[in-house]
């Protein structure tokens, strides 16, 4: 069953890219693939352990389906994290300082209001 499902998995996941740099992308895809493998291994192992499945064919099919789903989920999470980091880094430093100043002023205002209500 591996001979059939492995090429399908590689065909489905072969065009996923996290980075423009080929070396970084291969490294990231190796990590994502390893994590997906471990997730599938653990899930299928627990299914065998709890006698919910038996036989190599059922285990193989479930392994590759779970592995694909785990790959897509992990890839998507990493893509969102990379997008957030790029977004945060694209904001100029002066904006961060202005937001920090506004935050400090709001906190000071809340503290002063609280102290005035207590009768200070």
């Amino acid at each position: 069953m591996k001979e059939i499902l492995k090429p399908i998995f590689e065909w489905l996941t072969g065009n996923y890219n996290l980075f423009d740099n080929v070396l970084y992308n291969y490294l990231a895809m190796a990590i994502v693939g390893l994590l997906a493998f471990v997730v599938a291994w653990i899930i299928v192992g627990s299914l065998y352990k709890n006698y919910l499945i038996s036989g190599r064919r059922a285990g193989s099919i479930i392994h590759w389906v779970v592995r694909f789903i785990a790959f897509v989920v992990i890839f998507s999470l990493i893509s969102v994290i990379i997008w957030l980091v790029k977004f945060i880094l694209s904001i100029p430093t002066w904006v961060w300082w202005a937001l920090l100043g506004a935050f400090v002023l709001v906190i000071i205002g809340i503290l002063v209001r609280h102290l005035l209500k207590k009768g200070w």
Side-chain angles (χ1 to χ4, degrees), residues 6-119:
K6 184 177 180 182
I8 292 172
F9 175 81
E10 290 174 353
W11 178 72
L12 290 172
T13 61
N15 293 325
Y16 281 70
N17 290 319
L18 285 171
F19 301 103
D20 294 331
N21 185 321
V22 176
L23 183 61
Y24 292 157
N25 197 57
Y26 275 125
L27 182 62
M29 290 298 106
I31 292 169
V32 171
L34 180 64
L35 291 172
F37 172 80
V38 169
V39 168
W41 181 275
I42 291 170
I43 289 173
V44 172
S46 68
L47 291 175
Y48 276 122
K49 182 180 169 185
N50 294 320
Y51 302 104
L52 296 172
I53 59 171
S54 63
R56 295 183 90 194
R57 178 171 279 175
S60 180
I61 291 170
I62 293 171
H63 170 84
W64 286 102
V65 169
V66 169
R67 189 172 176 174
F68 177 71
I69 292 168
F71 183 91
V72 171
V73 169
I74 294 167
F75 178 87
S76 298
L77 288 172
I78 292 174
S79 293
V80 167
I81 290 169
I82 290 171
W83 180 83
L84 282 172
V85 168
K86 284 182 179 179
F87 175 73
I88 290 169
L89 292 177
S90 70
I91 297 173
T93 307
W94 68 268
V95 173
W96 289 113
W97 284 110
L99 289 172
L100 178 64
F103 178 74
V104 168
L105 288 175
V106 168
I107 296 297
I108 291 172
I110 291 171
L111 290 173
V112 167
R113 183 175 171 203
H114 179 72
L115 291 174
L116 289 175
K117 276 189 175 180
K118 283 192 143 197

